[in-house]
Amino acid sequence: MAGLYDALTTTDHKRIGRYWLRSGLLLLIGAVVLGVLLGIEGTDAESTDLFGGDNAYFQMWALYRIGLALLVAAPLLVGLATVVVPMQVGSTNIAFPRAALAAVWGFMLGAGITVVAVLAGGGFGAVDRVTNAERDAIALTLVGLGFVIVSLLLASLCLATTVISLRVKGMTLLRTPLFAWSILVTCSVWLLTLPVLLANLLIAYVDLHNGPGTFGGDASGSLAIYGQIAWVVEQPQVYAFAIPVLGILGSIVPVTAGVRAARHGLSAGLIGLFGLLAFGAWSQPYFQNDGAIPHDEKFLFIAFGLAALLPVLGAMGGAGDTLRRGGDAIVGLPAAHLVGALGGGILLLLGVVAGALRVIEPLELGGSTDQVEGIGTLAVSGVASLVLLAAIVAAVGGFWFWAAKIGGHELPPMLGRLALLDLIGGAVLLGGAQVVSGFFDTVNHPLAVPTEDIADTLAIVSLIGAVLIGLGALGVVAAIAKAVRTGATATDDPWGGHTLEWATVDGAFAEPPALVTSESPLLDDEGEDA
Amino acid sequence: MAVTTNALPAAEVTRPRTVLVATMFASAAAFMAFAGVLVIYINERAAADEWFPAGVIELGPAGFVFATMILSVFTVQWAVQAINNDDRLNAYMALGLTGLFGAAVFNQLWFIINDTGFALAGSNAEFLFLLVNGVFLAFLISAVAFLTLTFLRALIGQYGPRKADGVAAAAFYWDTVVAMWSITWYVVYVAK
């Protein structure tokens, strides 16, 4: 009972962050299992029936897509940020710790309701129109997802306020460590866009029970509800879940290379630009008026898709330059956290390249007009898979990097490298095959029949990717379990870190942090130029 | 000579305007949620052949709501100024008056909703009209609750000239809700 009481009343940001991380890991395992099952079904959807009918298949398919963003990538990043960001900005705790605790419990409740409601026949609509039997379960799914979004908003509020208000003296916004800065940008984008998703859910919910039936009720088609919320896992909004990838890259690479990152301000600017280009609440194909220009042929959509390449390329170039300058420090096998950071960066780059290809209208990756309206090709899912898995891979890299601060344990490096390589390889196969399928006009709908034979081969490649991702996720969980069981204690600063979190002892500042004069305060006392 | 971090005296840990900053973020999120509903209203109206029949929605009562909301902006800023000047009596009066304006707006909006005779299941126009006004009412209630909490905290002495950010935060959120209505009034009632 004392443990439960502590869990419900703690105000320790490290503990709250660990709750987020455990939830995210548990849901990651669930998602990869679902991903493999969907992959098996996808290889021969006409004769395989793992889920018990088209409706259930559609519901699981939609859950996987929405869940990978909101139930897996988001909590992993929020958890990492809740542990690391307060320390990184020199604060003793997160702003509003009780609200942060309420957020994580609200998230668990919401995620549980969402998953159970889908398993009970709910989900985000029904293929053959919503019946009375399904209405309550669908409504419950919407309530569950609403809880998840409100919880993520509350956590974002706490994290953004921490970075704005609780920075130690001397740490201007431009001297804020890149991970903390990327979390501020991410939270700002979430706070401005996820409420719009909440509005979509509210309209669908009220319509489901009392409305005219246009937005989700029994008079509407199969994609009425999913179509209203799918924008959150499509470009540009899906990029909002991967903004911290650039922050993790910017935090890990200079420490691994053993040199101060050059052009910190430029890196922060690139992250800010990527955040701006990830703002996607305006891009909702469902509410596109008849006769108007399709949303994916509008100037703004094309401009956002192409411009998103710039900050990611810039950040990757900066990371490459930093590694080159610190070449002597990098010997032997790369550290697991470096594999995670670079792997996440490469996946994100692949994702934004695929996104840029999508907005080039002649390629028709967004879907030609004779296809199901507003759905697009499988390339839409490919972009989402690459970007969301980039976020997950970078977060896992962050586990290995900040393990000493998260749980005080040292995570096994070799198992980490293997798990991360599995995740990266699986993501490339899964997302890459989906993007290539788009070139062969495979429609982004689980029940669509591919028009080209090669789509079957690509579906098998996707399945192999899903299996690899599953193995990688299991490897991550096994590594963490092994570290906790063997109790290998990590030192307070195993990597020779540059930012304030590495000055903490057992996760707390032994004395108030000194005046900060650069973005790498722990390097300042070595007499290096700021 | 390079300045070294550890050679300098330890800096004080400061907590500047945490509540106000958080409220600004929360207000932005609330505004976007409201905008999400309102934009769908505008979008559906643009796509529809006909929207409301003429004369169903009267402009007068909605205009009274707008005028009341504009008045409340002044009273809530009066509260901020009074608490900064340690003029508690005026602060209490201004907060109370703003809350009263909120109650009046609720009453008038309730009248408008009943007066139209719209039903959720009626049509897209009626459904979205009720939803926009309903969501606004929810934010109005939350703003009045925020003011009430601030009033109580001020009453027990938690706010004063040295710590007035809670009152400023409540005022900021209130102004956000006023902005919501200003846009709604023009979009839904004036330009119907």
Side-chain angles (χ1 to χ4, degrees):
Chain A
M1 283 304 288
L4 181 63
Y5 178 80
D6 286 347
L8 292 171
T9 57
T10 183
T11 52
D12 176 9
H13 70 99
K14 299 182 290 297
R15 194 163 172 181
I16 297 167
R18 287 196 291 270
Y19 294 155
W20 277 108
L21 293 175
R22 283 175 199 152
S23 309
L25 281 173
L26 185 68
L27 289 160
L28 173 64
I29 296 297
V32 296
V33 171
L34 186 56
V36 171
L37 293 176
L38 287 168
I40 295 170
E41 179 99 18
T43 54
D44 191 5
E46 284 176 307
S47 57
T48 312
D49 186 13
L50 293 176
F51 299 102
D54 288 350
N55 212 16
Y57 180 34
F58 167 71
Q59 286 159 354
M60 293 297 172
W61 177 86
L63 174 67
Y64 177 73
R65 269 153 182 73
I66 302 292
L68 202 60
L70 292 169
L71 302 183
V72 181
L76 290 177
L77 293 169
V78 167
L80 198 60
T82 303
V83 173
V84 174
V85 165
M87 288 187 261
Q88 222 173 35
V89 299
S91 173
T92 50
N93 206 349
I94 193 168
F96 312 111
R98 289 188 195 91
L101 181 69
V104 72
W105 284 109
F107 173 82
M108 287 186 211
L109 182 68
I113 291 172
T114 306
V115 172
V116 169
V118 174
L119 293 176
F124 304 103
V127 173
D128 48 0
R129 300 187 179 225
V130 177
T131 63
N132 277 332
E134 290 158 343
R135 184 175 287 114
D136 287 344
I138 290 175
L140 198 59
T141 312
L142 300 180
V143 170
L145 198 66
F147 259 99
V148 167
I149 294 166
V150 170
S151 304
L152 288 174
L153 289 173
L154 193 55
S156 300
L157 194 73
C158 298
L159 285 166
T161 306
T162 303
V163 179
I164 293 285
S165 292
L166 303 189
R167 276 170 292 131
V168 72
K169 217 165 190 173
M171 185 183 280
T172 60
L173 269 181
L174 274 179
R175 285 179 188 158
T176 306
L178 286 181
F179 179 59
W181 169 254
S182 71
I183 290 297
L184 174 63
V185 174
T186 306
C187 290
S188 302
V189 176
W190 286 4
L191 282 163
L192 292 175
T193 53
L194 292 186
V196 180
L197 179 63
L198 209 55
N200 291 139
L201 292 176
L202 178 73
I203 288 175
Y205 179 86
V206 179
D207 187 40
L208 199 62
H209 281 301
N210 306 99
T214 316
F215 307 101
D218 49 7
S220 54
S222 64
L223 290 167
I225 297 176
Y226 179 73
Q228 285 168 75
I229 61 173
W231 61 271
V232 82
V233 287
E234 291 181 12
Q235 68 181 109
Q237 181 63 32
V238 73
Y239 297 153
F241 297 97
I243 300 166
V245 173
L246 303 183
I248 291 170
L249 193 69
S251 287
I252 289 179
V253 167
V255 174
T256 312
V259 294
R260 192 188 291 266
R263 297 185 180 85
H264 176 88
L266 178 63
S267 300
L270 289 172
I271 292 171
L273 176 63
F274 190 54
L276 190 70
L277 295 169
F279 183 89
W282 53 271
S283 170
Q284 298 191 38
Y286 182 84
F287 291 104
Q288 179 179 290
N289 289 338
D290 292 340
I293 303 169
H295 92 290
D296 53 1
E297 290 177 22
K298 286 179 182 163
F299 172 76
L300 201 58
F301 188 79
I302 295 168
F304 268 48
L306 294 174
L309 268 171
L310 183 70
V312 180
L313 271 174
M316 289 301 287
D321 178 55
T322 306
L323 284 174
R324 183 186 58 78
R325 285 190 294 112
D328 295 343
I330 306 163
V331 287
L333 287 173
H337 52 260
L338 185 62
V339 175
L342 290 177
I346 290 166
L347 287 174
L348 182 58
L349 187 58
L350 290 174
V352 293
V353 166
L357 291 176
R358 186 201 158 177
V359 301
I360 299 171
E361 203 270 332
L363 295 176
E364 292 189 344
L365 286 179
S368 55
T369 49
D370 58 338
Q371 290 171 319
V372 184
E373 192 182 341
I375 297 176
T377 70
L378 202 55
V380 175
S381 283
V383 174
S385 298
L386 286 167
V387 171
L388 294 173
L389 288 164
I392 293 167
V393 165
V396 170
F399 293 174
W400 259 261
F401 187 59
W402 285 296
K405 306 300 164 190
I406 295 170
H409 297 293
E410 187 185 324
L411 296 179
M414 190 51 80
L415 198 51
R417 290 186 193 102
L418 283 173
L420 279 159
L421 287 173
D422 264 348
L423 285 172
I424 296 163
V428 170
L429 290 180
L430 176 71
Q434 288 174 331
V435 172
V436 175
S437 285
F439 284 103
F440 296 100
D441 288 340
T442 307
V443 178
N444 188 28
H445 190 290
L447 305 179
V449 179
T451 52
E452 303 278 348
D453 291 341
I454 196 170
D456 294 331
T457 311
L458 290 167
I460 293 170
V461 175
S462 281
L463 173 61
I464 295 168
V467 171
L468 278 177
I469 293 167
L471 290 174
L474 288 174
V476 172
V477 175
I480 293 170
K482 184 182 174 191
V484 172
R485 197 181 69 247
T486 56
T489 309
T491 57
D492 286 318
D493 185 6
W495 317 117
H498 299 180
T499 42
L500 284 178
E501 75 272 25
W502 302 109
T504 58
V505 180
D506 294 330
F509 289 102
E511 57 188 41
L515 186 74
V516 168
T517 57
S518 80
E519 74 288 347
S520 304
L522 299 195
L523 291 184
D524 294 349
D525 57 0
E526 292 173 10
E528 290 189 18
D529 290 331
Chain B
M1 190 183 76
V3 177
T4 61
T5 299
N6 291 345
L8 294 169
E12 269 182 52
V13 178
T14 52
R15 298 284 183 270
R17 298 175 175 266
T18 312
V19 176
L20 186 57
V21 169
T23 303
M24 285 176 172
F25 278 117
S27 298
F31 189 83
M32 287 303 290
F34 186 72
V37 179
L38 195 62
V39 165
I40 290 169
Y41 177 93
I42 296 167
N43 200 65
E44 290 293 303
R45 187 177 65 182
D49 293 330
E50 66 169 2
W51 203 238
F52 302 128
V56 172
I57 298 175
E58 291 182 42
L59 192 57
F64 282 124
V65 172
F66 178 66
T68 311
M69 291 303 258
I70 295 298
L71 275 178
S72 72
V73 171
F74 291 99
T75 55
V76 84
Q77 293 307 323
W78 172 23
V80 176
Q81 194 216 24
I83 204 78
N84 275 316
N85 292 337
D86 206 16
D87 184 354
R88 294 185 169 275
L89 194 63
N90 269 300
Y92 301 148
M93 197 184 295
L95 284 170
L97 202 55
T98 311
L100 205 64
F101 281 145
V105 166
F106 182 91
N107 183 53
Q108 185 73 299
L109 255 179
W110 199 254
F111 165 78
I112 292 170
I113 288 168
N114 283 320
D115 188 47
T116 58
F118 288 168
L120 277 172
S123 64
N124 276 7
E126 295 184 13
F127 173 77
L128 288 171
F129 175 86
L130 292 174
L131 209 64
V132 166
N133 284 285
V135 171
F136 173 75
L137 275 180
F139 282 121
L140 180 72
I141 291 167
S142 67
V144 171
F146 196 173
L147 278 180
T148 308
L149 188 68
T150 306
F151 178 82
L152 293 173
R153 291 187 68 175
L155 205 60
I156 58 175
Q158 290 187 354
Y159 295 128
R162 289 172 62 86
K163 192 189 174 200
D165 62 335
V167 182
F172 189 90
Y173 184 62
W174 184 266
D175 291 343
T176 305
V177 172
V178 173
M180 285 178 193
W181 179 260
S182 303
I183 298 168
T184 307
W185 174 68
Y186 180 74
V187 169
V188 177
Y189 292 89
V190 177
K192 58 183 180 292

